[in-house]
Amino acid sequence: MVTKSGGRLISSIEQFDQEVLKDKDDGSENLPVLVLFSAPWCGPCRLTNPVVKEIMKQYQNKIEVVEISTDDLPEVASDAGVLSIPTIQLYYEGKVMDTIVGCVAKNVLARSVDKVLEDLGLLEETV
């Protein structure tokens, strides 16, 4: 299911483990995963959705985007160290590469994604 942020909804612990924490065994490229922890009642989360959607379009084929409702999967949020929402975490091969807590501007989130891609050697230089 696609969420308002544009990402796929993670609806189980197993799905989180498979899509975010585990390396892909199917031969496809491992991409960084942007995980938005939010809840339907959270005002700042609703403000974050369009920012995440824009980032998803900007970094198409460079990152994957998923969303987790902390109401539905509180244990996943707790295990990830999420104390408040919205929280955005960038994962690569099961490791947290960066965390942003609270409402965030597009340029701040883009810098975070760029830094992760650069650290992984995946950022293509634009001339």
Side-chain angles (χ1 to χ4, degrees):
M1 180 172 144
V2 176
T3 63
K4 291 187 179 181
S5 68
R8 286 186 322 280
L9 180 66
I10 299 289
S11 55
S12 69
I13 295 170
E14 295 77 20
Q15 185 184 7
F16 178 78
D17 288 347
Q18 180 182 4
E19 293 192 28
V20 178
L21 298 182
K22 301 280 192 252
D23 287 345
K24 296 197 174 137
D25 297 331
D26 61 6
S28 64
E29 182 181 5
N30 282 331
L31 296 175
V33 182
L34 184 152
V35 181
L36 172 61
F37 291 90
S38 66
W41 50 263
C42 169
C45 298
R46 287 193 295 269
L47 295 173
T48 301
N49 285 336
V51 173
V52 171
K53 195 174 227 175
E54 287 182 42
I55 291 296
M56 188 174 80
K57 287 178 187 171
Q58 182 177 339
Y59 292 93
Q60 188 174 6
N61 301 322
K62 295 179 184 173
I63 64 169
E64 295 180 37
V65 177
V66 299
E67 186 173 333
I68 295 175
S69 170
T70 56
D71 287 352
D72 296 338
L73 295 173
E75 57 281 348
V76 171
S78 177
D79 290 347
V82 174
L83 300 175
S84 63
I85 53 174
T87 291
I88 296 171
Q89 292 184 329
L90 287 157
Y91 286 81
Y92 185 72
E93 295 183 347
K95 295 180 184 80
V96 177
M97 303 296 290
D98 200 5
T99 299
I100 299 172
V101 179
C103 241
V104 63
K106 180 184 172 193
N107 65 330
V108 174
L109 183 53
R111 275 198 305 268
S112 176
V113 172
D114 281 345
K115 181 173 182 342
V116 168
L117 291 173
E118 185 178 340
D119 289 349
L120 297 170
L122 301 173
L123 186 63
E124 296 170 6
E125 295 297 321
T126 56
V127 180

